[in-house]
Amino acid sequence: GTPTDPEEPVKQLFPDVSKKYWAYDAIQAIYQKGIITGYPQKNGPPLFKPGNSIERQHVAVMLTRALTFDKVEAFKPFNDIPASHIYFNEIKTVQQANIFDGKNGKFEPKEFLTRAQMAKVLVEAFDLKETKKHPFPDAKGHWAENYISILYATEITTGSEGMFKPQKNVTRAEFATFMDRALKYKENNQ
């Protein structure tokens, strides 16, 4: 059977993401679309490291694997991303698409993405427009409030214990879940 064969049992891809894990289905879906590959191990299958915070460079890579972007900005090289950087093209693409700006001429590839930054990145990348008032007290008056409202309206975020937690780093499992929801939303609202 092929991987799309419903009769074929889906094997556990990543040893560190069990079938009982809350984000298992989203991680599987994103993996099957070729958006994530995990961390290769010397011997044995790759690890996903779901609880790790996601790095900005990995967000750039996942977005460029998932979507096609128009160039809306002139290319502005980042001081810390030489042409030899493993993800140079992906980072150049998200900068030209006006999804990532960087800080003081740097992209900071290994910096972690906060939930507020993620809201902006996903709204820009998926070109989401729908909006309704979010219920999160900790997002009121926040710089990303508009983006958070849009993610809430599209049901890509439901919040966390009644809060949005904008300053918290996004984990790899959370980002996979948000990507999966955003892709499904895009498919259903073309």
Side-chain angles (χ1 to χ4, degrees):
T2 58
T4 50
D5 185 346
E7 298 308 307
E8 194 79 9
V10 177
K11 69 178 186 339
Q12 194 176 310
L13 289 171
F14 300 108
D16 57 348
V17 180
S18 83
K19 291 195 172 138
K20 292 192 176 78
Y21 188 67
W22 68 271
Y24 176 81
D25 290 339
I27 292 167
Q28 289 277 90
I30 294 290
Y31 174 82
Q32 273 153 4
K33 289 188 170 97
I35 298 167
I36 54 168
T37 52
Y39 290 91
Q41 300 304 321
K42 275 209 169 60
N43 18 25
L47 295 178
F48 185 65
K49 303 188 179 180
N52 284 17
S53 298
I54 198 161
E55 295 176 13
R56 288 164 58 86
Q57 61 183 354
H58 294 150
V59 172
V61 171
M62 287 169 74
L63 289 172
T64 55
R65 285 180 186 157
L67 301 165
T68 312
F69 294 107
D70 294 328
K71 291 178 180 157
V72 293
E73 293 277 318
F75 176 49
K76 293 190 288 281
F78 295 107
N79 308 334
D80 56 350
I81 307 293
S84 58
H85 190 280
I86 181 173
Y87 301 130
F88 175 81
N89 289 326
E90 291 88 344
I91 290 166
K92 178 180 175 180
T93 299
V94 294
Q95 181 263 310
Q96 288 180 308
N98 197 20
I99 293 159
F100 272 101
D101 334 310
K103 292 179 228 158
N104 309 321
K106 287 187 160 67
F107 181 74
E108 298 179 337
K110 290 187 183 300
E111 286 277 304
F112 299 131
L113 197 74
T114 66
R115 288 171 58 91
Q117 290 165 340
M118 176 206 60
K120 176 192 180 222
V121 161
L122 289 178
V123 167
E124 297 290 356
F126 285 89
D127 196 24
L128 304 171
K129 304 269 192 263
E130 206 174 322
T131 181
K132 76 175 179 211
K133 212 160 163 46
H134 69 79
F136 313 122
D138 61 348
K140 297 228 185 326
H142 192 279
W143 69 262
E145 181 164 19
N146 202 29
Y147 297 115
I148 293 165
S149 291
I150 295 171
L151 276 198
Y152 178 70
T154 52
E155 294 181 8
I156 292 165
T157 188
T158 50
S160 178
E161 295 149 6
M163 298 287 176
F164 184 72
K165 304 183 178 171
Q167 298 318 110
K168 200 169 165 274
N169 290 343
V170 184
T171 67
R172 289 170 55 82
E174 286 168 347
F175 195 77
T177 302
F178 285 118
M179 279 288 283
D180 184 45
R181 287 180 191 155
L183 285 163
K184 287 186 175 126
Y185 177 82
K186 199 174 165 69
E187 277 161 30
N188 299 330
N189 294 274
Q190 283 299 20

